[in-house]
Amino acid sequence: MPRGRIGARFAGLAAERRPGFIPYVTAGYPTLAHTRDLLAGLAELGADAIELGIPFSDPVADGPTIQRSSQGALDNGTTVDDIFAALAELRRASEVPVVIFSYLNPVNSRGVEAFVTEAVDAGADGILTTDLPFGEDPALEAQLSESALDFVRLVAPTTRPDRVRDIAGASQGFVYYVSRTGVTGARAGLRDELARETAAVRAVSPVPVAVGFGVSTAGQARAAASEADAVVVGSALVDRLDAEGVPGALALALELRRALDGAGR
């Protein structure tokens, strides 16, 4: 039996034989009002899940776009309380699954138990911590795994095959496959090896596999979805938000949604 909203959504995608679309939003950028509008719009156009990024001052795994948006959110005073309030507002209107995307510092600063409790109360379904490698802190990992949030794990192209199996086996909701080494950011193209690598992860994973990092166009999304259960898009949406506001970001999201709908299996 799939667990919670994330599991139910991926079960639905499997039944529909189509890949999922997971957009990323930097909470509070450029303002909380933009975030609320984006969340509502993404839910309405059919996002299968949403990654809600907690802004952090030193986002080392992120490229220039997400770094800029994170700093902008912090500069305008965005707090975790504000983010949870925006999530709670979304949850009153939509059942779209939401994964909190965060570095450990904001979680630890609040206290892990308090953060998780408040995230669940606001309507979050999962958490992905970018700077907590598998096996790094077994006690903290156990605390997150045993919580009401699905603890989503990361796998990279450089991860050893035996470790891929272990990480995927510990992941809840889905496993996030990083499409390339380095930081986040839109790219001109995807690596030729991506489909083969994604298939290898799926072969040993008991949970669905989502691919992200660098996917920015409809064509890239379709290509990434050839072996993935879902595709994550972040930097391209933030860039479009900068250039054309919320309507432009939602227009790109709809284009990506339709491209993935056309990539059914």
Side-chain angles (χ1 to χ4, degrees), residues 6-22 46-49 208 229-231 257 260-261 264-265:
I6 295 175
R9 180 67 293 215
F10 273 106
L13 289 169
E16 296 162 12
R17 301 182 63 82
R18 66 177 180 86
F21 171 49
I22 306 177
D48 293 295
D229 298 292
V231 176
R257 166 76 282 164
L260 290 170
D261 285 345
R265 299 183 177 88

Side-chain angles (χ1 to χ4, degrees), residues 210-222:
V211 171
F213 274 53
V215 179
S216 55
T217 68
Q220 289 174 3
R222 279 193 300 270

Side-chain angles (χ1 to χ4, degrees), residues 6-117:
I6 295 175
R9 180 67 293 215
F10 273 106
L13 289 169
E16 296 162 12
R17 301 182 63 82
R18 66 177 180 86
F21 171 49
I22 306 177
Y24 167 91
V25 174
T26 301
Y29 182 78
T31 69
L32 280 163
H34 288 86
T35 297
R36 289 191 291 268
D37 290 345
L38 267 176
L39 293 175
L42 290 168
E44 185 175 351
L45 65 80
D48 293 295
I50 296 173
E51 282 190 356
L52 185 60
I54 304 292
F56 179 53
S57 58
D58 189 23
V60 293
D62 291 302
T65 294
I66 304 302
Q67 288 185 20
R68 184 181 68 251
S69 63
S70 291
Q71 190 59 53
L74 293 172
D75 288 345
N76 71 32
T78 300
T79 67
V80 173
D81 284 336
D82 295 328
I83 296 166
F84 287 164
L87 173 54
E89 181 177 325
L90 170 70
R91 186 56 69 223
R92 287 191 287 271
S94 173
E95 287 296 302
V96 62
V98 174
V99 177
I100 299 294
F101 189 102
S102 182
Y103 289 84
L104 278 176
N105 186 276
V107 178
N108 287 332
S109 294
R110 203 170 188 87
V112 177
E113 184 175 352
F115 186 98
V116 168
T117 297

Side-chain angles (χ1 to χ4, degrees), residues 79-171:
T79 67
V80 173
D81 284 336
D82 295 328
I83 296 166
F84 287 164
L87 173 54
E89 181 177 325
L90 170 70
R91 186 56 69 223
R92 287 191 287 271
S94 173
E95 287 296 302
V96 62
V98 174
V99 177
I100 299 294
F101 189 102
S102 182
Y103 289 84
L104 278 176
N105 186 276
V107 178
N108 287 332
S109 294
R110 203 170 188 87
V112 177
E113 184 175 352
F115 186 98
V116 168
T117 297
E118 292 170 31
V120 171
D121 288 346
D125 303 284
I127 185 167
L128 189 159
T129 53
T130 58
D131 53 349
L132 180 60
F134 178 73
E136 178 82 7
D137 187 336
L140 176 54
E141 292 171 70
Q143 187 175 4
L144 292 174
S145 294
E146 293 164 8
S147 77
L149 294 174
D150 282 338
F151 185 19
V152 178
R153 308 289 191 129
L154 289 161
V155 169
T158 54
T159 306
R160 299 189 316 270
D162 60 322
R163 190 168 167 83
V164 170
R165 185 185 300 271
D166 290 342
I167 294 171
S171 194

Side-chain angles (χ1 to χ4, degrees), residues 181-203:
T181 57
V183 298
T184 60
R187 299 292 196 277
L190 300 177
R191 296 165 48 252
D192 293 339
E193 303 87 353
L194 179 60
R196 175 182 56 79
E197 293 169 354
T198 306
V201 176
R202 286 186 77 209

